[in-house]
Structures are given as structure tokens and as C-alpha cells.
Amino acid sequence: MTSASSTGSIWRQPPQVWAVAFACVVAFMGIGLVDPILPAIAESLKADAVQTELLFTSYLLVTGAAMLITSWVSSRIGAKATLLTGLALIVVFALLCALSGSVDAIIGFRAGWGLGNALFISTALATIVGAASGGSEAAIILYEAALGVGIAIGPLLGGLLGEIAWQGPFFGVVVLMAIAFIAVLVLLRTKGEKRDPMPLSAPFRALRIPALAILAVAALFYNIGFFVLLAFSPFVLGFSAMGIGFTFFGWGVALAITSVWIAPILLHRMSRTTVMFIVLPLLAIDLIVAGILVSSIVALVICIIVGGLLLGIMNTVLTEAVMEATDLPRAVASSAYSAVRFIGGAIAPPIAAGLWHAFNASVPYFFAGASVLIATLAIALGRKVLARIDIHEADAAEEGAAVLIGDAA
């Protein structure tokens, strides 16, 4: 694998890497695309907030559970076939969502969408890391850039299409995922790919490794904060689909900026665990402030944007940490960690909506802040076990930062 320095730029990558990265952008758009139309779906299909939030839960719960078998599947049929199967499933189930007439049907079809998402996302990360020039740090920056761009564009496109009809964003996903399918089919070359069949138990055994288990638990509680901010906020903002779209476009842009540029700069100066100890408490404070000032729309929008800045840093740091925490194949580490992580995203939206109805709009944000503090505690208690993720980090980050600075120049 070529070093970052020899390539001259982390953005100079083979076409197959860009094909998978583009598909990642579209896949992550699918997370935020539904966000602006949650109130519209609730109104049009006569569903309450808890029912509507289950659109996230069914999607993320199946995504997390299916992550446990993705490495087993991809090791047998190959990365390309797994990616294409995942994309095809997303196209089919997004189309079924668009054609549905009840919220219960959409919840069910979003579960099928989650299966496709799991097959794609876990395999995509391992594929990009394996094929990208510049080593794992460059590959992870590309992956997080795709995540940031997708999450930024998703709500904006969802708002635009949602102004036409609540079905619009689902049809948008169908078209974009079909384009991504063609891009991967044509550009991703796997000639000479070595298949080393993994046992079905590999991700379960991986979670017995203390370092990976600690990171997974921390990510579970961190993701609760992430998805309360993403999935619950549209209900209390009181905006139209377009207003929600613009708000979360700003959130996604903030996330993309810090994940691609700010995180490497911080890692140049500090270890991964130190960055986590700084960013996680700041995120918890941001969520608690959002709860205190929830009646002020301006303050809430500012807290959402600030949350995006902090989430971008944490996404990059956590992804790098997982890739470096063990000697496991990347596909196994990614699927095991992601399976636990997505559970947090699955349970957060309906719990937040339930707390809102039982108490008031502040309590879901307090719940999210407390969850992020638990994530901080998990990292603190396991810092000795996580010593490996900080070894040589300064040297690696220095090289990555140098390349980024050279790109900017």
C-alpha cells in the first residue's frame, strides 16, 4: 500500500475507491433524507411521534443485527457482490416505502432497507480501507468525508423533495441508489480478490476482545446522543420540511468539516483517548444546553450545529480507534463494532419521543447528554485497555496533517 506522502494527496485515489465513496455518500444520505419529512409523515398517515420514530428504529435495529453476518457473507461471495446486494435491497425497499399507504408498512420496509444498509456500509468501509492509497488514516478520512457529505445533503434533498410530497425523498433514494449500483458495478474491480471465509461466530468472538468491547459500548451510548439530536429535533423545531432540511444541512456540513479537517489536526497534537475525553463532555454539555433552551428555536438550531461540529470529530476518532484496536480483519472489527453501535441509534428515537410525551421537550436532550457522559465513563474506565490505539498516533497524525495541509496549499 502506498504511503500518503508518496501519493501527494489523499484525494488521488483509484476509480474503484471513488465509486464506493460515492455509493457511501448516497447510503448516508438515506439516514438524513427522511428527517425533514417526519412531521409530514406523522400528519399524512395519522401517526404519533413514537410511531414515526420507529422509522429510524426498525432501520437501525436491523442494520445493527445484520452487521453481525456481513463479514461472513462478504468473505464468501466477495466484496463487490455484497455491496451490490446491499444497494439492490435499498433500491427495492425504498421504492416500497414510497408506494406504501400506512406508517406500519413503512416501518416494515425500512427494516428491509436496514438489511441492505448493513451489507453495504460494513463492506464499504473495509473495501475503502483496503483499496485506498495513503494507508488506513487516509481511507478513514475519505470514508468520513463521504459520511459527512451524505448526511449534509440528505436532509436538504429530503426537504426539497418533501415539499412536493412525503413520498418524494423515498423516490429520490431509489434513483440515487440505482446510480450508485451502476457505479460500483462498472468501476469496482475485484480481480484477484482473495476470499478467506470467516466463521459466522467471528464478530461475536471479536466483541470478547476488551478494547473492541469498550469502544463498542462507548459508541452505543454516544449514538444515543447522535440520534436524539438527529431524529427527535425535527419534532420540536416546528419548521417546514424545507426549514428542517436547511437546519440539518448546516449540521451535516459542520460534521463534514470537523471529521475531515479538524479531527486530524487534533490527533496531530493529542492521543485518540485524550480527544475523546475533551469532545464527549463538550457534546454532553451541548445536549444539556439544548434541553435547557429548547423553547428558543434560535438556541436549539445553534446547539444542533455545534453538535454537528463535535459529532464529526468523534466519528473520525472512533472509526480510526476501532481499526487500530485489534489485529482482526477490518471487516470483522467493523461489523462487530457497528452491530453494537447501531443499537444505540435504534433505541434513541422512540425513547426520546416517549420522554417528550411523558414529561416535556427538555427531557430527551437531558437523556441524550447523560448517555454521552456514560460513553465518556466507559472510555475512562477502559483507558489502560485502549493504550494500543494511542501508540504511534502522534506520528501517524503528523503525516496525515501534513498531507492535508499540502492539499489545502
Side-chain angles (χ1 to χ4, degrees):
M1 189 173 289
T2 315
S3 71
S5 57
S6 65
T7 62
S9 172
I10 62 169
W11 307 114
R12 293 174 188 166
Q13 300 293 344
Q16 60 182 353
V17 172
W18 289 118
V20 178
F22 169 74
C24 285
V25 170
V26 180
F28 288 121
M29 283 173 63
I31 295 176
L33 205 70
V34 180
D35 217 34
I37 59 169
L38 290 175
I41 289 176
E43 182 179 352
S44 299
L45 300 181
K46 295 178 172 54
D48 59 33
V50 176
Q51 284 179 302
T52 310
E53 294 285 44
L54 289 175
L55 295 176
F56 277 98
T57 295
S58 62
Y59 168 77
L60 294 169
L61 193 61
V62 173
T63 295
M67 285 283 186
L68 294 170
I69 65 167
T70 54
S71 59
W72 180 82
V73 172
S74 64
S75 68
R76 282 162 173 75
I77 68 174
K80 184 172 182 176
T82 306
L83 291 169
L84 292 174
T85 301
L87 290 168
L89 286 172
I90 295 172
V91 169
V92 170
F93 284 105
L95 180 60
L96 291 172
C97 285
L99 299 176
S100 298
S102 72
V103 72
D104 290 336
I106 299 175
I107 290 169
F109 292 137
R110 282 279 283 178
W113 187 337
L115 174 60
N117 202 51
L119 290 170
F120 175 78
I121 287 179
S122 182
T123 310
L125 176 58
T127 301
I128 289 177
V129 171
S133 301
S136 62
E137 289 82 10
I140 288 168
I141 289 173
L142 285 173
Y143 180 80
E144 293 299 334
L147 184 152
V149 171
I151 283 183
I153 297 174
L156 187 60
L157 184 60
L160 286 168
L161 297 174
E163 289 287 339
I164 301 170
W166 67 261
Q167 297 96 333
F170 293 117
F171 283 120
V173 169
V174 171
V175 173
L176 289 169
M177 278 301 187
I179 294 171
F181 181 95
I182 295 170
V184 171
L185 179 65
V186 173
L187 296 176
L188 182 60
R189 306 192 183 283
T190 55
K191 186 177 181 180
E193 177 186 8
K194 294 181 180 179
R195 296 181 190 173
D196 184 14
M198 300 283 179
L200 192 59
S201 61
F204 298 94
R205 293 205 312 269
L207 288 172
R208 294 166 58 185
I209 299 173
L212 191 60
I214 289 167
L215 290 170
V217 169
L220 184 152
F221 287 100
Y222 159 74
N223 251 29
I224 290 176
F226 187 113
F227 278 95
V228 167
L229 200 64
L230 175 65
F232 173 68
S233 297
F235 286 99
V236 292
L237 283 171
F239 292 161
S240 66
M242 199 67 250
I244 295 170
F246 274 120
T247 299
F248 281 94
F249 172 72
W251 172 79
V253 169
L255 187 149
I257 289 171
T258 54
S259 64
V260 175
W261 285 286
I262 306 302
I265 291 172
L266 291 176
L267 291 172
H268 169 53
R269 292 169 172 79
M270 294 174 277
S271 67
R272 291 189 180 108
T273 52
T274 300
V275 173
M276 291 183 202
F277 284 138
I278 293 171
V279 175
L280 284 171
L282 287 175
L283 178 59
I285 292 169
D286 179 65
L287 289 164
I288 292 168
V289 170
I292 294 171
L293 303 178
V294 71
S295 59
S296 169
I297 299 303
V298 173
L300 184 56
V301 169
I302 291 172
C303 287
I304 290 170
I305 303 301
V306 171
L309 293 170
L310 298 169
L311 292 166
I313 296 170
M314 276 304 302
N315 282 351
T316 296
V317 176
L318 275 173
T319 304
E320 284 193 13
V322 169
M323 293 294 107
E324 300 296 331
T326 70
D327 292 321
L328 292 169
R330 294 184 179 98
V332 174
S334 174
S335 60
Y337 158 81
S338 297
V340 178
R341 175 170 66 103
F342 276 106
I343 293 173
I347 65 176
I351 290 177
L355 290 172
W356 178 32
H357 286 299
F359 300 101
N360 55 57
S362 296
V363 175
Y365 291 106
F366 296 154
F367 162 67
S371 297
V372 173
L373 289 176
I374 293 174
T376 311
L377 181 62
I379 298 295
L381 293 175
R383 190 165 192 179
K384 288 185 178 179
V385 177
L386 295 174
R388 170 175 171 151
I389 70 173
D390 291 332
I391 295 174
H392 304 310
E393 175 54 28
D395 294 337
E398 183 174 356
E399 182 179 0
V403 173
L404 286 170
I405 292 168
D407 293 344

